[in-house]
Amino acid sequence: MMDTYVAFDVETPNTRNDRMSAIGIALIKKNQIVDTFYTLIDPETYFNSFHMELTHIGPQTVKNAPNFKQIWPTLETYLDQGILLAHNATFDLHVLLACLKTYHIPWKSYIDYADTVRIGKACYPELDNHRLNTMCDALNIPLEHHNALSDAKACASLFTDFYERINTDLYIRTFDVAHNKTLKPY
């Protein structure tokens, strides 16, 4: 089994979902959360009212925040440490890759990841749904929903529970960046 995972969550400023306004990261080693990171990001684009209300992030909030290109070296240090994890991973991966493309930043050709929604369905099929807030309520995991750090920590906590229950390696997938698709379908 793998022993290092990087749970991450992004918040976006609008429905285009091609920029970040915040990112939270929780680093898991040997099934323990060992480090966290959070930053606001100036998306250098417009915010819509729905996203501002949902995330409590708007133009004034990110006024002095770094843009994605400025914060990327720090993010890369975290994201390169292990298998990426996200709750509804294709969304967060899409936003991350869109930001890299926008700022012309090369990274990896292939990204190993796991989706905690899919693993959650295998571990807790009896739940009505497998949304982050539903799963956190069921497992008594603290959550301030739509705060990127809280969401990333919750995703990491879910994963540590899953890791004890099933072989999570069976849920690791590889995303082909050039072809914008997962190589190992479920």
Side-chain angles (χ1 to χ4, degrees), residues 57-100:
I57 301 170
Q60 289 301 98
T61 319
V62 300
K63 186 174 159 184
N64 297 313
N67 67 30
F68 183 83
K69 187 172 187 170
Q70 292 166 327
I71 199 64
W72 175 247
T74 301
L75 297 179
E76 184 178 25
T77 299
Y78 278 100
L79 298 174
D80 276 348
Q81 290 189 49
I83 305 295
L84 298 186
L85 298 173
H87 204 75
N88 191 12
T90 54
F91 172 81
D92 296 276
L93 281 172
H94 168 79
V95 176
L96 174 62
L97 295 173
C99 288
L100 290 166

Side-chain angles (χ1 to χ4, degrees), residues 18-43:
D18 62 354
R19 302 285 180 99
M20 294 179 196
S21 55
I23 187 169
I25 297 172
L27 185 64
I28 304 166
K29 290 189 182 224
K30 297 184 179 170
N31 210 32
Q32 298 291 318
I33 299 172
V34 296
D35 193 11
T36 60
F37 175 79
Y38 172 80
T39 188
L40 292 167
I41 298 173
D42 180 351

Side-chain angles (χ1 to χ4, degrees), residues 47-177:
F47 285 81
N48 70 22
S49 58
F50 173 80
H51 282 76
M52 288 190 293
E53 188 174 316
L54 184 70
T55 66
H56 306 291
I57 301 170
Q60 289 301 98
T61 319
V62 300
K63 186 174 159 184
N64 297 313
N67 67 30
F68 183 83
K69 187 172 187 170
Q70 292 166 327
I71 199 64
W72 175 247
T74 301
L75 297 179
E76 184 178 25
T77 299
Y78 278 100
L79 298 174
D80 276 348
Q81 290 189 49
I83 305 295
L84 298 186
L85 298 173
H87 204 75
N88 191 12
T90 54
F91 172 81
D92 296 276
L93 281 172
H94 168 79
V95 176
L96 174 62
L97 295 173
C99 288
L100 290 166
K101 184 177 180 180
T102 296
Y103 289 96
H104 307 288
I105 300 170
W107 190 34
K108 299 177 176 184
S109 298
Y110 301 94
I111 300 168
D112 291 331
Y113 76 96
D115 186 340
T116 54
V117 172
R118 290 212 180 255
I119 306 171
K121 287 177 180 179
C123 288
Y124 296 98
E126 71 280 4
L127 293 178
D128 290 337
N129 66 64
H130 296 85
R131 293 185 199 116
L132 186 60
N133 57 331
T134 303
M135 296 203 69
C136 287
D137 286 348
L139 297 175
N140 296 313
I141 294 171
L143 176 66
E144 183 185 332
H145 206 16
H146 301 296
N147 169 291
L149 181 57
S150 181
D151 288 359
K153 287 167 56 175
C155 176
S157 294
L158 287 172
F159 184 78
T160 61
D161 175 86
F162 303 158
Y163 189 89
E164 297 296 326
R165 295 176 178 280
I166 62 173
N167 181 356
T168 55
D169 285 354
L170 299 175
Y171 295 87
I172 296 171
R173 300 293 178 253
T174 301
F175 191 83
D176 180 340
V177 175

